[in-house]
Amino acid sequence: MIASLSARTPVLVLGLTGRMGRAHAAHMRRYGTNIVGGTALRADAPAEQDGIPVFADIAAAVAGTGAQAAIAMVPPAGMRAAAEAAFAAGIRLLVTIAEGVPVHDSIAIGRAARAAGATWVGPSTPGLALPGRMKIGFLPDVSLRPGDVALMSKSGTLSYEVGYRMAQRGLGQSLWIGVGGDPVKGVRFADLLPVFLADPATRAIVLVGEVGGAEEEEFAAALAATPSAKPVFAIIAGREAKEGVSMGHAGALTWGEFGTHAAKQARLTAAGVRCCATVEALVEALAAG
Amino acid sequence: MLLVEADGKSLLARHGIRVPAAALVRQAEGFCPEGPGPWVVKAQVPVGGRGKAGGIAFCRDAEAVTEALRRLLGGTLRGHPVTMCLVEQAVAGAEEHYLSLLVDPVSYGVRIAWTRAGGIEVEKAGEIASRLAPPEEGAILVAAEELLAEAPPRDRVALREATVSLVRALLRDGLLLAEVNPLFLGPDGAVAGDAKVVLDLNLAETRADLRDLVLARPDAYPDAVRKLEEGFDYVEIDPEGEVGLVTTGAGLSMVVVDEMQAAGLKPLNFCDLRTGQLRGDPARLVRVLGWIAERPQVRVVLVNIFAGITDLGEFGRLLSDALDRTGLRLPVVARLVGNGAAAGRAELERRHPAVAVVDSLPEALTRIAALRAS
């Protein structure tokens, strides 16, 4: 579903009538996203809000609009039910923003997505974008610039910083996906490798990783097994992370040798990825290569 | 978050795992171990590889226990202060096994691993037999049966019982990892020699028993307690640190810490303020500035905010309010980028002209290096 995204893709906002839902729906529309409808957080919601039709539930919204993608602006405790309902209603791509979703709820959401053959991005992500064309989520416009570098990131803010400095250097992105900072999630770095390799608009790949989990290592294994002419650049946050403690993101947790910066950097480097120690070095390497 | 051994064991024990008789000790003086000995003294810090790091002592007599306690308590182990030790009756004449259950994020299932060669070297071996199963008790137990077919018949009953306990702990308490290494197998069945349990702090937000477990130990989990009580992340990296950080966003804040460390600047803390949750109230900023000001070595404060949605004009007001309220005497370097940056800068320049407002992170680090040296 990610490969076929376009400015025409019809998108629903789950929780459109909430404070966040309303504000972000307006931002996304201004950026070019085809917002076709939303669902209400409360039973007494109006039939329309800011010109966007409001439905009682996701099944009615999909039936009424033909939406293929949705963004969930619902609290973490309600995420599992909202996601399962979205996949049951036929949503092909679901982006879930909230952080704080219990890990075993994320396991259930992941299983529901896989059973439905759908794509899930999140939790704890600012979303994704086709820079200059559309975005699902709230990636800041100041960091988005159309270009030929595919960017994927566990961290929102660090990717904003990378995108912003790329833009200042005259570089831009073909596709931008925030996979989120949780230990159990939807789309993972390794899942995106074939998408980026097949995308004719992508010249190079940037991986913005961080300590914890094994996603960078999985990506390294996938890259080593796939001949690729597209260079991959990476920055891994958390070289100085404290062991045994979640560093802001639930997934940014190391213990013993598990999930450490050194382990990730070694595996990525061995797979041919150029690992950079600073944002500055990353952007310079991108500009040069 | 990783629990200390004593808490990991008490959590697993609630689901039926047996643990050795033990005492949790905070002071070497006046403590006398019960029973005949020998004992094992273990530093209670949430890290892996405690044995290799010198955090575990095998003691033949009570004097050795006191000596080990004196050596460990008050020190640090892999960045964590040691405030408690577990003094445990050593398990004699038992075989050491390894048993663990780990959430597998790729298959959305659970990986169960078992091997007969337990003990501290098991991580090195890296060749532990394992099976993947869907996250349901019945399915995991079927996978466990396949795995335990390799076990000596006399051990199977005890291993099955231990497995059932770990499965229930993982599923019912929503854990990411439940690992017992070594799992002692002797004539009396299976006993957990150690426990590594990774708790889901997201679940602890709503599960009172898990939340209480964390809140009961502010000295072992200062960072997690702060997160549960305050709703944001502040992790002290180095109590002797010289630069206090007021930053937002986990990844960017980690990289700021990394880049400062590489540049020879000594960051005090990691901080993910979550500016989107400030809602017009400077309270969170007042808290962070207060914690930073408490540390005597701090020479300068760095504020780094990349605002995707946050209005930096409002943030400038809130930061000014917080600086007024705390009466902070330290120099401040503020780097504001994104939504409303000009308004934020104007607000700070009007109310706190001494604050150095800069545009880029490298520039901010250069300023800090200069202020630290002055």
Side-chain angles (χ1 to χ4, degrees):
Chain A
M1 178 72 203
I2 288 172
S4 61
L5 274 180
S6 76
R8 289 189 306 277
T9 305
V11 179
L12 287 177
V13 178
L14 310 182
L16 175 69
T17 56
R19 189 179 65 96
M20 292 277 284
R22 184 174 197 162
H24 290 306
H27 284 300
M28 285 187 276
R29 265 178 135 186
R30 258 202 309 279
Y31 198 74
T33 310
N34 180 21
I35 304 286
V36 294
T39 60
L41 280 178
R42 296 190 352 222
D44 59 351
E48 200 183 274
Q49 176 182 282
D50 306 329
I52 304 170
V54 179
F55 298 86
D57 59 49
I58 176 86
V62 171
T65 62
Q68 294 168 345
I71 177 166
M73 296 279 184
V74 297
M79 195 59 83
R80 178 176 171 178
E84 287 174 344
F87 296 131
I91 287 296
R92 311 302 303 150
L93 170 68
L94 178 69
V95 177
T96 69
I97 298 297
E99 65 172 321
V101 177
V103 167
H104 285 248
D105 283 4
S106 289
I107 294 175
I109 297 172
R111 294 183 81 82
R114 202 163 277 176
T119 302
W120 172 35
V121 175
S124 189
T125 170
L128 54 86
L130 294 170
R133 290 190 279 165
M134 63 94 82
K135 63 176 167 183
I136 305 179
F138 50 76
L139 288 166
D141 297 356
V142 67
S143 298
L144 295 172
R145 185 173 190 272
D148 57 10
V149 178
L151 193 157
M152 56 183 168
S153 178
K154 281 182 173 177
S155 160
T157 49
L158 181 54
S159 68
Y160 304 170
E161 182 81 36
V162 169
Y164 177 71
R165 291 214 222 163
M166 282 174 65
Q168 284 182 321
R169 198 74 170 72
L171 301 163
Q173 311 91 23
S174 49
L175 184 54
W176 178 324
I177 314 246
V179 297
D182 272 17
V184 175
K185 61 179 69 169
V187 165
R188 304 170 70 77
F189 286 151
D191 300 330
L192 290 169
L193 180 63
V195 177
F196 293 164
L197 292 182
D199 176 22
T202 294
R203 166 188 70 87
I205 298 168
V206 167
L207 181 156
V208 179
E210 63 192 29
V211 291
E215 233 180 304
E216 291 81 1
E217 290 86 335
E218 289 161 30
F219 177 84
L223 185 66
T226 315
S228 160
K230 299 185 182 182
V232 184
F233 302 86
I235 182 167
I236 311 295
R239 195 171 49 233
E240 307 290 339
K242 190 165 164 183
E243 186 177 348
V245 177
S246 298
M247 300 292 285
H249 285 152
L253 173 69
T254 64
W255 65 88
E257 306 297 312
F258 183 78
T260 62
H261 187 276
K264 292 179 186 302
Q265 182 141 322
R267 294 284 296 278
L268 286 169
T269 305
V273 176
R274 173 116 178 246
C275 292
C276 303
T278 65
V279 177
E280 194 74 11
L282 173 71
V283 174
E284 285 311 312
L286 264 177
Chain B
M1 61 176 288
L2 184 60
L3 294 181
V4 297
E5 176 193 358
D7 288 340
K9 279 181 170 167
S10 72
L11 186 146
L12 295 182
R14 279 192 244 158
H15 296 280
I17 285 275
R18 289 172 54 216
V19 298
L24 198 57
V25 184
R26 291 170 184 275
Q27 247 189 332
E29 313 314 320
F31 173 77
C32 188
E34 283 177 26
W39 297 274
V40 188
V41 177
K42 297 183 273 188
Q44 295 301 292
V45 285
V47 302
R50 280 179 306 163
K52 276 170 259 174
I56 297 179
F58 186 84
C59 304
R60 298 220 163 271
D61 50 40
E63 286 76 49
V65 168
T66 306
E67 202 176 300
L69 287 170
R70 280 193 189 133
R71 177 172 63 82
L72 291 169
L73 289 169
T76 59
L77 202 70
R78 297 176 74 148
H80 290 264
V82 180
T83 60
M84 317 182 279
C85 284
L86 199 62
V87 180
E88 234 173 41
Q89 195 81 58
V91 176
E95 237 183 55
E96 295 189 4
H97 290 235
Y98 171 98
L99 182 64
S100 75
L101 287 172
L102 175 69
V103 163
D104 179 61
V106 177
S107 69
Y108 298 118
V110 172
R111 182 175 292 280
I112 175 166
W114 166 80
T115 172
R116 270 179 85 172
I120 61 165
E121 294 302 320
V122 83
E123 290 100 333
K124 270 189 187 165
E127 304 229 329
I128 302 172
S130 71
R131 295 279 189 284
L132 275 176
E136 293 135 22
E137 183 169 327
I140 301 171
L141 293 178
V142 168
E145 273 314 301
E146 284 178 33
L147 207 56
L148 296 178
E150 306 291 319
R154 66 184 151 84
D155 292 339
R156 277 189 212 148
V157 173
L159 284 168
R160 269 189 208 120
E161 282 174 8
T163 304
V164 169
S165 298
L166 288 197
V167 170
R168 290 184 180 163
L170 188 96
L171 295 180
R172 294 180 188 179
D173 286 340
L175 306 176
L176 280 89
L177 170 71
E179 178 191 82
V180 177
N181 177 34
L183 177 69
F184 293 116
L185 254 70
D188 305 330
V191 176
D194 194 357
K196 203 170 282 166
V197 169
V198 175
L199 194 74
D200 177 10
L201 210 48
N202 290 346
L203 187 63
E205 296 280 348
T206 53
R207 270 272 302 268
D209 56 333
L210 302 177
R211 185 182 165 90
D212 290 347
L213 191 149
V214 176
L215 293 181
R217 294 213 195 281
D219 52 351
Y221 315 119
D223 309 305
V225 167
R226 204 150 27 202
K227 169 148 192 161
L228 286 172
E229 287 179 342
E230 310 277 349
F232 68 98
D233 291 85
Y234 178 101
V235 176
E236 195 165 88
I237 303 278
D238 174 8
E240 308 285 305
E242 295 175 355
V243 186
L245 297 185
V246 181
T247 49
T248 199
L252 183 53
S253 301
M254 273 193 270
V255 156
V256 168
V257 168
D258 294 346
E259 293 199 9
M260 288 180 75
Q261 209 62 280
L265 304 168
K266 292 176 71 184
L268 168 76
N269 64 295
F270 159 90
C271 174
D272 182 1
L273 205 54
R274 292 177 174 77
T275 46
Q277 298 169 3
L278 292 179
R279 305 263 177 105
D281 185 350
R284 209 172 264 195
L285 290 165
V286 170
R287 297 287 282 158
V288 170
L289 291 175
W291 294 328
I292 290 171
E294 271 172 24
R295 291 298 186 211
Q297 310 295 327
V298 175
R299 307 279 302 275
V300 53
V301 173
L302 168 65
V303 178
N304 184 50
I305 309 291
F306 197 117
I309 320 152
T310 300
D311 174 9
L312 285 172
E314 178 176 288
F315 180 81
R317 276 195 299 282
L318 297 178
L319 181 61
S320 296
D321 291 349
L323 289 170
D324 288 341
R325 263 198 225 178
T326 53
L328 188 81
R329 290 172 175 208
L330 296 163
V332 177
V333 177
R335 187 247 181 169
L336 306 178
V337 184
N339 189 20
R345 173 191 280 264
E347 183 73 10
L348 281 169
E349 282 172 351
R350 185 172 66 80
R351 290 179 55 190
H352 290 277
V355 172
V357 186
V358 300
D359 290 325
S360 81
L361 197 51
E363 191 186 346
L365 297 192
T366 307
R367 286 286 188 107
I368 282 171
L371 282 163
R372 190 173 150 254
S374 67

